[in-house]
Amino acid sequence: MPVQCSPLILCHKLVLRRRKKEYDSSFCLFWVSQNDNYKSLVRYLHPREASCYGSMQFEKRKKDYLLGRYSAKMALSVLSGETELDKIFIEQGVFNHPVVLGTCQVQSLEVAITHCDDLGAAAAFPRAYPLGIDLERVSTDRIRVMEKETTGEEKKILKDLPFSKAVSLASFWTAKEALSKVLKTGLTTPFHIYEINRVEGHEGYLISHYKYFTQYCCFSFDWGGYVFSMACPRETELPVEFISHLQELSFVLPGTRDEAVN
């Protein structure tokens, strides 16, 4: 295994099941504390990534880039066995989606990346089984923006969910972002295209179903200060152990949420 930096909260292989078939994938969740020097991650960049990083002007953009690339490379390493992270090159596609290049071990794989504040996460998977992930801070400052992208039918569903309004809205938002990554459209498509028309409530997480993309569903987890979502083919069975790990996570940070919002 490559050298692990900072707390790798989760980093392991997953076996996803659907209709009696199994698909190998992996997931990595990475956290950089305020005291950590995230710039140490530069050494894991491919030369072409290092060139891209060097051209960036803003520190936030640089930090997000390093969080995303390191998480993605760790996930790819777990799935492929490639331990030299600087040999893995993650190109940016025309719709800003990640394209995995580099050694032969990883070229048959794809990766989904998300980052927020000091957290970076990635899922690596075979082309035959697409995944998309997204991570969003739970913040009352974002409620108005999220409500504008919520349809009338979705607002009716939101009223019956077991979470606060802020968490429920963030769950819908991240579910749509995660699906947009599966479809490689990013934010170039109006959000109502990803409308959610049914939600199953579980302890600590939701399973959302899409109105126009019925072949997909999305698992959304409440992490206290954040909401994490993973979009995947409908009828996907996530490993029970993996669900338990995601249920147990909590990042309650000052100012990330307002419990008075219901």
Side-chain angles (χ1 to χ4, degrees):
M1 283 289 291
V3 176
Q4 298 181 357
C5 297
S6 261
L8 274 169
I9 299 166
L10 283 176
C11 194
H12 57 77
K13 194 171 182 179
L14 305 175
V15 178
L16 303 177
R17 295 180 175 83
R18 183 178 187 268
R19 297 179 180 176
K20 299 182 180 181
K21 290 186 178 181
E22 295 186 346
Y23 301 84
D24 289 337
S25 65
S26 62
F27 178 77
C28 176
L29 176 63
F30 174 63
W31 175 64
V32 174
S33 74
Q34 293 182 348
N35 296 324
D36 287 330
N37 181 10
Y38 67 88
K39 292 183 180 180
S40 65
L41 300 176
V42 170
R43 67 182 184 272
Y44 297 112
L45 296 179
H46 183 275
R48 290 173 65 181
E49 293 171 331
S51 177
C52 178
Y53 174 81
S55 68
M56 296 176 183
Q57 298 181 6
F58 301 103
E59 284 303 312
K60 183 182 184 306
R61 178 73 181 98
K62 288 184 173 182
K63 182 178 181 180
D64 289 347
Y65 187 82
L66 291 175
L67 284 173
R69 287 300 184 274
Y70 181 71
S71 299
K73 292 180 182 213
M74 287 299 295
L76 288 164
S77 176
V78 168
L79 186 57
S80 69
E82 175 58 74
T83 59
E84 297 184 71
L85 300 190
D86 61 340
K87 299 291 179 62
I88 301 173
F89 173 40
I90 302 174
E91 177 67 284
Q92 189 174 60
V94 294
F95 296 119
N96 296 323
H97 61 284
V99 179
V100 180
L101 302 172
T103 61
C104 60
Q105 288 99 314
V106 299
Q107 287 189 6
S108 64
L109 303 175
E110 295 193 19
V111 68
I113 301 172
T114 187
H115 44 72
C116 186
D117 298 333
D118 297 325
L119 290 167
F125 49 92
R127 293 172 184 168
Y129 210 78
L131 300 174
I133 62 174
D134 194 58
L135 180 66
E136 181 75 25
R137 175 198 286 260
V138 176
S139 171
T140 55
D141 294 338
R142 297 276 289 158
I143 286 181
R144 288 187 180 85
V145 175
M146 293 180 179
E147 282 186 315
K148 288 181 180 179
E149 299 296 342
T150 305
T151 68
E153 289 302 311
E154 288 175 333
K155 289 177 181 177
K156 294 178 183 177
I157 297 172
L158 284 168
K159 294 179 181 178
D160 297 325
L161 297 184
F163 298 151
S164 70
K165 183 177 182 179
V167 171
S168 298
L169 283 168
S171 296
F172 275 34
W173 181 277
T174 54
K176 294 174 182 181
E177 286 245 36
L179 180 60
S180 77
K181 293 177 182 180
V182 173
L183 303 175
K184 295 181 173 62
T185 60
L187 297 179
T188 61
T189 301
F191 254 30
H192 73 268
I193 296 297
Y194 311 120
E195 183 175 1
I196 293 168
N197 66 349
R198 183 166 63 88
V199 177
E200 302 169 29
H202 297 266
E203 184 177 352
Y205 71 99
L206 306 173
I207 302 178
S208 299
H209 299 269
Y210 303 97
K211 183 175 182 178
Y212 301 111
F213 295 92
T214 57
Q215 66 271 51
Y216 291 100
C217 70
C218 186
F219 293 80
S220 297
F221 295 83
D222 176 12
W223 288 351
Y226 299 88
V227 168
F228 170 77
S229 287
M230 175 182 285
C232 50
R234 191 181 52 156
E235 300 179 43
T236 293
E237 297 177 31
L238 295 182
V240 174
E241 180 185 11
F242 181 59
I243 289 178
S244 296
H245 284 318
L246 296 185
Q247 285 175 304
E248 293 169 358
L249 291 176
S250 179
F251 300 92
V252 181
L253 306 176
T256 58
R257 69 191 301 177
D258 184 351
E259 294 297 346
V261 178
N262 297 312

